[in-house]
Amino acid sequence: MADQTFTITDNRTGQTFTLPVTDGTIRAMDLRQMKTGPEDFGAMTYDPAFLNTASCRSAITFIDGDRGILRYRGYPIEELAEKCSFLEVAWLLLHGELPTQAELDSWIAEVKHHTMIHETTKKFLTGFRYNAHPMTMFISTVAALSSVYPECKHVLDPAIRRQEIVRLIAKVPTIAAYCYRHQLGFPYVYPDNELSYPENFLNMLWRMAEPKYSANPVLARALDILFILHADHEQNCSTNVMRCVGSSQADPYVSVAAAAAALSGPLHGGANEEVLRMLDEIGSVENVRAYVDKVKSGHGKLMGFGHRVYKNYDPRARIIKWTAEQVFEVTGRNPKLEIALALEKIALEDEYFVKRKLYPNVDFYSGIIYQAMGFDPAMFTVLFAIPRTVGWLAQWQEMIQDPEQKISRPRQVYTGYDARKVVPLAERAPLTMKA
Ligand code: SDX
């Protein structure tokens, strides 16, 4: 086998260094020995936005962006979406193996036992204005749960970690539904633990005066599949935040809230809501070409297109497109689908997007389904955050159990002033004079 090393010559000093290569990487700390003199701190890597930096070793999710492959614990996403339930996949992500029937039954019972939220938690929600964005309410309320379960701060205790993981998985649909109901001025609907995870979520969203909510099985299954597709995605922006905040041993509630805050950005999980705004702005199939030309001339982006890792079709987008057809059988076809299909067709044939390897991502079609199911676009990112809570927690758990991990604290390249003296107040020139 070839020698797994890099030999690097520092042309500043003429010194040569041999660095071990592991899994195609070198340790950044191995660069520190490269110095121009005893005062030199040593060489570092400079990688804004971590375009080419592995921050951890993880066994949870594998993505091959060039081939459009996504696997959770080795299982192709297509098989999991077809053959499993979301709670089954949640168990897989957290434990590394698919559950047996007995394990799944016990897991479902455990999650159902924790779907209620403390009555005081509902009071956090009533403090929001009726038109507060559901994602803002979700982030704040999840963080507030930290005050309801003070023992959650003992993050190094496996039993406490397990208890909080179950509580969060069980409660995020309840919180999400309450955020939605608060906006509409509707009374909160308590969880119905006779229903499945997705059916209970629809129950808490949409039950009104009927004594028992009965979810449409096609919509419940579609939601379950969408939850599976959104559950994890290796070291994306919000997961990076979960690991970073968790690395200080902050509790899982404030860590999930921080991750959800990252997800809310329009370049990340907030894109699904932006896709609907974009399709509304385009208005009709006839306007698609003009909109694409506007984007190509540098005005805005095609929301729901492009990805840092996928340079091929996002496998989740393909499954979501199939799921949309199932949903439309029940809800009627969302007219925006025609605009989206026309937009996709034009973009996939246009050199601007082909050259930049821009394909539809997970957010491109999900909003069209959610809207057809009756969700307001403002809820779309909350629908992303519910399943991604499992991925964040699985990654958090893996980080805590990784002996190599410690508090995250990157370095920087300093570009500011050298040492200088304070000028007396009366002698200072105004900032404008310094331009
Ligand atoms: C998610 O990381 C994950 O795994 C995330 C996620 C997950 O499951 O966690 O998959 C979920 O966040 C999906 C992405 C949702 N975001 C959007 O759909 C927003 C629109 N997409 C872009 O903003 C963008 O594609 C990103 C943010 C997704 C990726 O950005 P990168 O990797 O930083 O790429 P870039 O911005 O440097 O773009 C490279 C080029 C640029 O053009 P040039 O400067 O070379 O001329 O491609 C262009 C960009 O302008 N470009 C786009 C574009 N995305 C990139 N041009 C038009 N429309 C777009 N959508």
Side-chain angles (χ1 to χ4, degrees):
M1 184 159 141
D3 179 6
Q4 296 302 305
T5 61
F6 288 168
T7 300
I8 300 176
T9 299
D10 183 344
N11 294 317
R12 303 172 300 176
T13 61
Q15 284 182 287
T16 298
F17 302 87
T18 297
L19 307 184
V21 177
T22 310
D23 298 319
T25 69
I26 57 168
R27 284 183 170 274
M29 283 303 287
D30 286 346
L31 298 173
R32 287 280 288 281
Q33 58 188 310
M34 299 178 182
K35 296 172 182 257
T36 54
E39 296 303 309
D40 186 350
F41 179 77
M44 295 191 293
T45 57
Y46 174 57
D47 187 13
F50 312 123
L51 285 161
N52 193 42
T53 294
S55 62
C56 64
R57 302 172 71 84
S58 178
I60 298 171
T61 294
F62 172 77
I63 301 174
D64 179 326
D66 293 329
R67 294 193 291 160
I69 290 173
L70 169 59
R71 300 182 194 131
Y72 293 162
R73 301 285 188 178
Y75 294 100
I77 193 69
E78 295 81 0
E79 267 205 83
L80 294 172
E82 182 192 346
K83 297 173 181 169
C84 298
S85 69
F86 171 66
L87 283 184
E88 212 175 332
V89 171
W91 174 277
L92 169 68
L93 288 169
L94 286 160
H95 299 87
E97 298 297 338
L98 284 166
T100 60
Q101 188 62 57
E103 287 167 335
L104 182 58
D105 293 346
S106 150
W107 173 241
I108 289 171
E110 199 178 353
V111 170
K112 284 186 172 182
H113 184 73
H114 290 280
T115 49
M116 289 267 193
I117 59 175
H118 195 289
E119 287 295 296
T120 57
T121 308
K122 288 160 60 175
K123 292 193 173 62
F124 301 144
L125 282 161
T126 48
F128 288 102
R129 287 169 53 85
Y130 74 95
N131 62 350
H133 195 289
M135 205 48 193
T136 308
M137 289 193 263
F138 178 85
I139 294 163
S140 312
T141 307
V142 169
L145 283 184
S146 167
S147 65
V148 179
Y149 307 106
E151 69 277 15
C152 67
K153 298 193 183 316
H154 301 295
V155 298
L156 301 182
D157 180 331
I160 289 184
R161 279 205 307 272
R162 160 84 187 202
Q163 176 179 273
E164 307 312 331
I165 285 171
V166 170
R167 278 175 168 154
L168 272 157
I169 293 171
K171 295 177 194 306
V172 286
T174 311
I175 292 170
Y178 287 12
C179 292
Y180 181 71
R181 302 282 289 199
H182 172 76
Q183 274 201 308
L184 300 169
F186 291 170
Y188 298 136
V189 173
Y190 281 95
D192 176 347
N193 289 333
E194 287 176 7
L195 301 174
S196 70
Y197 194 81
E199 287 170 342
N200 179 40
F201 179 49
L202 295 173
N203 159 59
M204 295 186 289
L205 282 165
W206 288 328
R207 182 155 74 84
M208 295 309 281
E210 67 272 32
K212 182 85 174 169
Y213 181 79
S214 164
N216 179 299
V218 172
L219 301 188
R221 180 57 188 151
L223 202 53
D224 215 35
I225 291 172
L226 285 160
F227 280 179
I228 290 170
L229 298 176
H230 286 84
D232 191 57
H233 212 237
E234 55 129 288
Q235 305 312 313
N236 58 84
C237 177
S238 52
T239 297
N240 180 51
V241 165
M242 183 75 191
R243 281 177 168 263
C244 181
V245 173
S247 75
S248 72
Q249 294 186 7
D251 73 65
Y253 295 98
V254 295
S255 300
V256 166
L263 185 75
S264 68
L267 296 187
H268 192 9
N272 52 19
E273 184 180 348
E274 295 302 318
V275 168
L276 257 293
R277 286 213 180 90
M278 174 181 72
L279 296 176
D280 282 338
E281 184 185 338
I282 294 171
S284 70
V285 171
E286 295 66 39
N287 299 337
V288 167
R289 179 77 259 176
Y291 190 86
V292 169
D293 291 343
K294 196 174 78 162
V295 169
K296 287 168 63 179
S297 59
H299 299 292
K301 291 183 184 289
L302 278 194
M303 300 313 280
F305 259 74
H307 200 277
R308 174 64 55 78
V309 177
Y310 288 122
K311 300 310 174 190
N312 198 323
Y313 211 99
D314 184 331
R316 300 169 296 176
R318 191 172 285 117
I319 301 168
I320 290 175
K321 211 169 155 184
W322 174 85
T323 308
E325 294 302 341
Q326 317 307 312
V327 168
F328 296 154
E329 293 284 311
V330 172
T331 63
R333 204 165 174 76
N334 185 333
K336 294 197 178 69
L337 180 66
E338 307 318 323
I339 302 174
L341 290 170
L343 187 56
E344 176 185 1
K345 185 174 183 315
I346 288 180
L348 293 185
E349 292 165 356
D350 189 295
E351 181 51 25
Y352 178 93
F353 301 94
V354 172
K355 186 173 82 171
R356 292 167 176 80
K357 297 187 177 181
L358 301 176
Y359 292 87
N361 60 48
V362 68
D363 291 312
F364 188 62
Y365 285 107
S366 54
I368 293 170
I369 296 184
Y370 291 144
Q371 187 178 50
M373 291 173 81
F375 289 106
D376 179 275
M379 275 294 286
F380 291 0
T381 310
V382 174
L383 295 172
F384 194 147
I386 292 171
R388 187 52 61 90
T389 295
V390 170
W392 290 330
L393 290 167
Q395 298 273 350
W396 171 71
Q397 176 110 277
E398 188 179 61
M399 180 271 298
I400 287 187
Q401 292 168 336
D402 181 345
E404 278 203 298
Q405 290 293 338
K406 50 175 65 180
I407 188 166
S408 287
R409 200 253 180 254
R411 297 287 180 168
Q412 64 171 15
V413 173
Y414 177 66
T415 60
Y417 286 103
D418 202 344
R420 55 180 178 159
K421 289 200 171 306
V422 173
V423 174
L425 187 55
E427 298 166 30
R428 289 176 201 158
L431 207 52
T432 45
M433 300 275 283
K434 291 185 177 183

